[in-house]
Amino acid sequence: MREQEGGGGSRGGREGRQELPPQSPEEQARAICLRLLTGSPRTRRQLADALHKRGIPDEVSQEVLSRYEEVGLIDDAAFAGAWVESRHRGRGLARRALAQELRTKGVHATLVEEALGQLDSDQEEQTARELVERKLRSTRGLERDKRIRRLAGMLARKGYPEGMALRVVRRALEAEGEEADDLGYPGE
């Protein structure tokens, strides 16, 4: 009954907690950055934007972010490399789409180019072929032109150049026609 009377022993309420002394802007900035970096890697600009949103002065933000770069907690080059590897392998994104994503995350253009250097044209085209192969079956029964538009459109949304997309799609459709001919079915 004591808790209902407003006594000092409340459970889970704020009355029983000790007030922490107010943190300096530097301490707040460090805490925000560490919390964000715990979830996943972030770019310097993403962290700077988060600090700005929370009212941390720019000079404090720059000081904390520079220190975190010195000790390796922020590494935009490593972030970009891991991003390219992950998003190309996992989502099948091409260079153009990956570059756009990295730019929106604030990665410097030279670091974007270095990260995209991991992908060569052959690897990018192979990924495009794999994407088309997975999607090809779901377009059976449609007119050839419609299939080409759908498959090339899917590749375009993933950032593949138009010429490569059309070449890959046409080759896949030709190969599918040859397989159908081998099975005694009329080709397209």
Side-chain angles (χ1 to χ4, degrees):
M1 275 309 223
R2 257 183 206 258
E3 288 181 72
Q4 291 176 347
E5 294 171 12
S10 74
R11 293 152 85 191
R14 291 185 175 229
E15 299 87 22
R17 293 185 188 162
Q18 276 189 328
E19 287 294 316
L20 295 174
Q23 291 183 318
S24 70
E26 291 84 2
E27 291 171 322
Q28 290 175 342
R30 284 193 292 273
I32 291 167
C33 287
L34 288 175
R35 188 178 72 252
L36 290 172
L37 289 168
T38 299
S40 64
R42 309 282 174 134
T43 64
R44 181 181 175 114
R45 189 172 106 201
Q46 287 176 308
L47 293 170
D49 290 347
L51 294 174
H52 180 76
K53 254 189 219 176
R54 288 170 178 84
I56 303 296
D58 287 341
E59 55 278 355
V60 172
S61 294
Q62 294 309 315
E63 182 182 317
V64 169
L65 294 174
S66 294
R67 178 65 183 140
Y68 278 14
E69 271 183 328
E70 287 173 21
V71 298
L73 288 174
I74 302 172
D75 186 347
D76 283 1
F79 176 91
W83 187 266
V84 166
E85 174 69 22
S86 168
R87 302 284 284 176
H88 179 73
R89 183 167 287 147
R91 303 268 323 266
L93 297 182
R95 286 183 186 150
R96 187 173 65 202
L98 292 166
Q100 179 60 35
E101 287 184 347
L102 288 171
R103 280 192 296 272
T104 62
K105 294 190 174 301
V107 177
H108 192 272
T110 57
L111 297 177
V112 170
E113 288 305 314
E114 284 177 24
L116 293 175
Q118 298 177 49
L119 297 178
D120 61 21
S121 298
D122 293 338
Q123 186 179 8
E124 194 172 40
E125 190 163 332
Q126 176 61 36
T127 302
R129 281 195 298 269
E130 291 168 4
L131 289 167
V132 168
E133 288 299 321
R134 285 194 296 235
K135 184 89 169 155
L136 199 59
R137 199 172 314 124
S138 69
T139 65
R140 287 200 180 117
L142 298 175
E143 297 172 12
R144 180 179 170 83
D145 287 346
K146 196 172 208 174
R147 293 180 85 188
I148 290 172
R149 280 194 310 273
R150 284 202 183 167
L151 294 168
M154 177 261 307
L155 290 177
R157 286 187 298 279
K158 291 186 177 282
Y160 289 89
E162 182 181 1
M164 178 192 289
L166 290 172
R167 183 175 63 249
V168 167
V169 168
R170 286 193 176 116
R171 285 182 185 160
L173 290 173
E174 287 168 8
E176 183 184 57
E178 290 169 9
E179 290 173 17
D181 286 345
D182 292 344
L183 295 172
Y185 298 114
E188 290 186 312

